Amino acid sequence: PDPALPADHPVNFLMPRTNGFITADLFGPETDSRRLYDWPPLAGFLAECLGKPELFVYEDPVSNMIVNVGAPGAEFTWHFDTNEYTITMLLQAARSGGHFEYVPGIRSANDEHYGEVREVLAGRSDRVRRLELKPGDLQIFLGRYALHRVTENTGEDDRLLIIMSFSERPGVIGSKERVRQLYGKTMPVHEERRIRSDRLLD
């Protein structure tokens, strides 16, 4: 929280986050997931779908390709991504709950739109959409500009989602603070540099 900002400012809206991650550094080069992520035609496919001349793998060694683990009772609260573009694939759905909800385009690279974000966090927005994902569904997602969350897993099995991240610029990584908060660890590269695509809050 930031005491210099009003109490109802989105920065001061605290929420529990209880999901886990299998981080990128735990996937060896021989794994199918790593081979797919590092396969240049995948970035080319995503760029073509989005009408971009070129996209690059997100070079953060902890978070560029992860599995989001939603154990029973866990939830991944409202957030924005640190990278612009994401491909996700649901590996295993929750038996109940674990819904993916999002608000597309709620902010831009030049405007945080705090007022609209505050309405979503307070449960007063009619812009929230829910996408019913099935295992194997591939989703192309602009998580840097779409506020999104996964609701509580009320079933008895883990919800598993693989997330592969891309950027319009080479060399983009997450901030040391954000990576430590989300994944509990950082690498030397997080001390050496921080290349971001914009000045938005993570």
Side-chain angles (χ1 to χ4, degrees):
D2 185 345
L5 296 172
D8 65 345
H9 191 283
V11 169
N12 290 325
F13 199 99
L14 305 182
M15 299 169 286
R17 181 171 58 224
T18 50
N19 68 298
F21 295 102
I22 302 172
T23 53
D25 54 304
L26 300 178
F27 289 89
E30 77 288 350
T31 61
D32 290 339
S33 298
R34 175 59 65 189
R35 290 170 60 202
L36 176 62
Y37 182 61
D38 291 338
W39 187 49
L42 180 63
F45 166 73
L46 180 58
E48 185 174 348
C49 288
L50 295 170
K52 302 293 181 181
E54 189 174 11
L55 291 177
F56 302 88
V57 295
Y58 185 53
E59 291 190 17
D60 194 293
V62 173
S63 63
N64 63 10
M65 186 196 69
I66 58 177
V67 171
N68 188 335
V69 181
E75 61 182 307
F76 194 10
T77 50
W78 289 113
H79 65 284
F80 292 103
D81 294 339
T82 57
N83 57 288
E84 299 104 320
Y85 308 107
T86 300
I87 289 179
T88 70
M89 182 182 293
L90 187 65
L91 304 176
Q92 179 172 289
R95 290 195 182 186
S96 63
H99 299 293
F100 177 74
E101 296 183 338
Y102 67 107
V103 185
I106 194 170
R107 72 174 180 178
S108 69
N110 302 311
D111 192 336
E112 296 275 7
H113 290 281
Y114 284 129
E116 292 185 62
V117 171
R118 181 172 56 245
E119 293 301 295
V120 174
L121 299 181
R124 296 192 296 260
S125 176
D126 60 1
R127 295 184 57 187
V128 177
R129 301 180 187 178
R130 175 175 288 185
L131 185 62
E132 298 295 340
L133 295 170
K134 297 181 177 61
D137 283 354
L138 183 71
Q139 178 183 201
I140 297 174
F141 188 59
L142 279 64
R144 188 68 176 155
Y145 310 113
L147 192 63
H148 54 288
R149 71 172 177 178
V150 178
T151 64
E152 181 183 354
N153 178 356
T154 56
E156 299 177 354
D157 299 315
D158 291 346
R159 179 188 188 271
L160 303 173
L161 179 85
I162 191 165
I163 304 171
M164 300 181 177
S165 300
F166 299 85
S167 179
E168 290 191 50
R169 295 174 56 195
V172 174
I173 65 171
S175 70
K176 180 177 67 174
E177 297 80 11
R178 168 78 173 205
V179 172
R180 182 181 290 119
Q181 286 172 357
L182 280 175
Y183 309 107
K185 59 185 171 184
T186 59
M187 300 285 183
V189 69
H190 296 106
E191 299 286 347
E192 298 165 6
R193 63 188 171 103
R194 182 193 181 197
I195 300 176
R196 301 298 304 121
S197 59
D198 52 52
R199 298 192 177 192
L200 296 171
L201 289 179
D202 282 345

